[in-house]
Amino acid sequence: MPATASPLSRLLSAPRLPVLGLMAAAVAALASALIAEHVFGLAPCQLCWWQRYAFAAAIGVLLPGLLFDRKPAARGVVLGLGAAAYLAGACIALFHAGVEQHWWQGFTACTASGNAAGSLDDLRAAILAAPVVRCDEIAWSLFGLSMAGWNVLYSGGLAVLAGAAAILTFRRSA
């Protein structure tokens, strides 16, 4: 690329495009989660927050890849870490979808418990400590899939794309 290239054209150079695309996908997911929360009133449960953390982690591990335009092996490592972050997000989303479908029990902090033992003060403390949003209830779905179910597909697809980009980057550097 010529030395007089603009900063934007250097940022959008071909080696950086997979990193930028994967980061943009994470930003889009976080933006849609915030829109669902603040515009449509769908408050997140604890597992929803964990899924958001996976997207933030993906952005964090992919960001250094923008600096490695002449170091394809380093960019491949960054893309591999991005794949791992997206895979972790897909696993969290799969766990959440399973909790919503009652395939397995979630954490006691985000599901309803039927334990009524104890004193009235224990019951009051349990009610006050209970989360506002339960992880085992589907707040919204489209075509039979909850948001967690859609996130399994989205994060899983991004993990595959990031992994493929990492492999291709390593092959080109060899």
Side-chain angles (χ1 to χ4, degrees):
M1 187 163 290
T4 60
S6 72
L8 181 62
S9 65
R10 279 183 274 147
L11 181 66
L12 296 175
S13 66
R16 292 183 177 141
L17 282 179
V19 174
L20 279 172
L22 290 164
M23 287 176 59
V27 169
L30 289 172
S32 66
L34 290 172
I35 289 169
E37 178 181 356
H38 295 288
V39 175
F40 298 110
L42 296 173
C45 69
Q46 186 63 41
L47 290 173
C48 295
W49 280 107
W50 289 8
Q51 292 169 74
R52 291 179 188 191
Y53 298 153
F55 286 117
I59 293 169
V61 298
L62 287 166
L63 190 59
L66 297 176
L67 304 174
F68 301 130
D69 54 333
R70 291 201 171 94
K71 297 179 182 177
R75 193 172 49 255
V77 170
V78 166
L79 287 165
L81 291 172
Y86 281 125
L87 181 61
C91 290
I92 294 167
L94 179 63
F95 178 75
H96 189 187
V99 169
E100 289 175 335
Q101 296 297 326
H102 304 284
W103 295 337
W104 45 73
Q105 184 174 353
F107 304 110
T108 56
C110 60
T111 59
S113 64
N115 186 5
S119 69
L120 186 57
D121 288 332
D122 292 338
L123 179 61
R124 182 179 298 120
I127 290 171
L128 292 175
V132 175
V133 179
R134 292 180 26 190
C135 298
D136 61 348
E137 291 181 353
I138 298 172
W140 180 87
S141 67
L142 178 67
F143 305 123
L145 280 178
S146 68
M147 285 185 284
W150 283 109
N151 192 16
V152 172
L153 299 175
Y154 188 72
S155 293
L158 290 171
V160 169
L161 288 174
I167 291 168
L168 290 173
T169 301
F170 281 125
R171 285 187 181 163
R172 285 185 194 142
S173 70

